[in-house]
Amino acid sequence: MSAAAGAMPGIMPFPWEMVMHTGLCLLRLPPHAFWALTPFEFFIMTGGLKPAADRLPRAELDRLMDAYPDKGDEDGCGRE
């Protein structure tokens, strides 16, 4: 029984150290408030609902690279 031994292949353990550091040190929550949070509340407090940044689609990047090619020598440093 690998589950009883504590290691299951392909499953990452919960990052308690990181979560506790974020809640208790970075957010400076008192322990009673930290342990009373639901996982969703913690997710919200750590920016989980922040909108994702707009990303340039690959096709648009390719179009811009074709329209404005790098100039310079072969090492790509822009020196002529």
Side-chain angles (χ1 to χ4, degrees), residues 40-80:
F40 187 67
E41 290 169 332
F42 184 79
F43 177 72
I44 292 168
M45 292 179 79
T46 56
L49 293 181
K50 183 173 67 171
D54 290 335
R55 293 189 174 99
L56 188 64
R58 183 63 197 209
E60 182 65 10
L61 175 62
D62 290 338
R63 186 190 71 74
L64 288 170
M65 289 172 63
D66 289 339
Y68 305 100
D70 290 337
K71 296 180 180 163
D73 61 0
E74 294 298 317
D75 71 0
C77 293
R79 294 185 300 264
E80 305 242 348

Side-chain angles (χ1 to χ4, degrees), residues 6-53:
M8 293 184 66
I11 297 178
M12 297 282 296
F14 188 79
W16 281 111
E17 187 174 330
M18 184 181 354
V19 170
M20 290 173 59
H21 175 75
T22 301
L24 300 172
C25 299
L26 300 178
L27 295 174
R28 297 177 181 249
L29 296 170
H32 70 275
F34 172 77
W35 291 111
L37 289 174
T38 65
F40 187 67
E41 290 169 332
F42 184 79
F43 177 72
I44 292 168
M45 292 179 79
T46 56
L49 293 181
K50 183 173 67 171

